[in-house]
Amino acid sequence: PFWYKFTCFASGTLGFTIFPAVNSDDYDWQLFDITNHSPSEVYTSTSLFVACNWSGEVGNTGASSAGTSLTVCGSSNTSPYRPLFSAMPNIIAGHEYILLISHFTGDNQSGYLLTFGGGTAVIIDPREPHVSSASASCDAESITIKLNKKMKCKTLAPDGSDFSIDATGISITGATGHGCSQSFDMDSVTLTLSAALPPGNYLVSVKNGTDGNTVGDNCDRFVAVDESLPLTIYPKIPTPMDSLVKPGCSPQTLELVFRKKIKCSSIAANGSDFSVIGPYPITITGATG
């Protein structure tokens, strides 16, 4: 079977059709609402079920106005005819769904065409793609670009040429999409620089990369050329401690909270980075991050 995951952006009815490449193939399907659930729960939780069609008939199948029931059970040559189309289920804005398509005929399949239409629900993200923020690493040797939505990993040029920065003598040498090693889309990009940026104000701009385009979403809509984000690099200053977790009675440990992440390698294991001053003599014997 194959699985398709999508989000509903406007509530309404969901219509779709599966067109087998070979009309004598028997395809079936089942729809689940996995909002706030792991997809694997479809195997154990019947509450995630939305609609299905397991008709044993061959040919086009799906959900349309021709259907009369959300649930169409299996059939065989000896059982009554089961309609190939189920009623269109109502789906809810903000909910996530997965659609299972099963090839019942056998192991070898010629494929199918899946089209969505006929319903009133919207499953296409209406937001145009944009870059939303830029921030630098504390060493100012890389920049993280936050995108306003998921975008295709394959639209990102690995050499970083989809972006430019107005820093004299410093260029962008590479780009990595967050999560692209496990998935096909990303919500942010890390740009590698040829050198650390000195303190100052910069502008990171979008341009057509060596792949001939900017970064784009799953509907092949692309971020506009020359869209830009401001970036400020501040002088390095000491990282202040934020707070001390309230200790209990006769504490043996103290937990310090910092405003930024701290390098584990910068912590002296013997605790000598810290001291405690008070009415009772205290010796620090160790420290861990």
Side-chain angles (χ1 to χ4, degrees), residues 103-129:
H103 181 249
F104 185 83
T105 308
D107 293 334
N108 299 319
Q109 55 179 313
S110 301
Y112 55 86
L113 173 67
L114 172 63
T115 65
F116 291 89
T120 59
V122 176
I123 61 172
I124 297 174
D125 191 343
R127 294 173 298 168
E128 292 294 327

Side-chain angles (χ1 to χ4, degrees), residues 39-91:
S40 62
E41 291 182 44
V42 300
Y43 296 114
T44 55
S45 177
T46 56
S47 65
L48 305 185
F49 170 81
V50 177
C52 72
N53 191 298
W54 293 93
S55 171
E57 310 299 326
V58 299
N60 300 345
T61 183
S64 73
S65 57
T68 57
S69 174
L70 291 176
T71 303
V72 176
C73 297
S75 60
S76 65
N77 292 332
T78 59
S79 63
Y81 170 81
R82 306 286 186 184
L84 281 163
F85 281 85
S86 300
M88 291 186 289
N90 286 297
I91 58 175

Side-chain angles (χ1 to χ4, degrees), residues 174-185:
T176 305
H178 291 199
C180 286
S181 59
Q182 298 88 29
S183 182
F184 61 85
D185 54 13

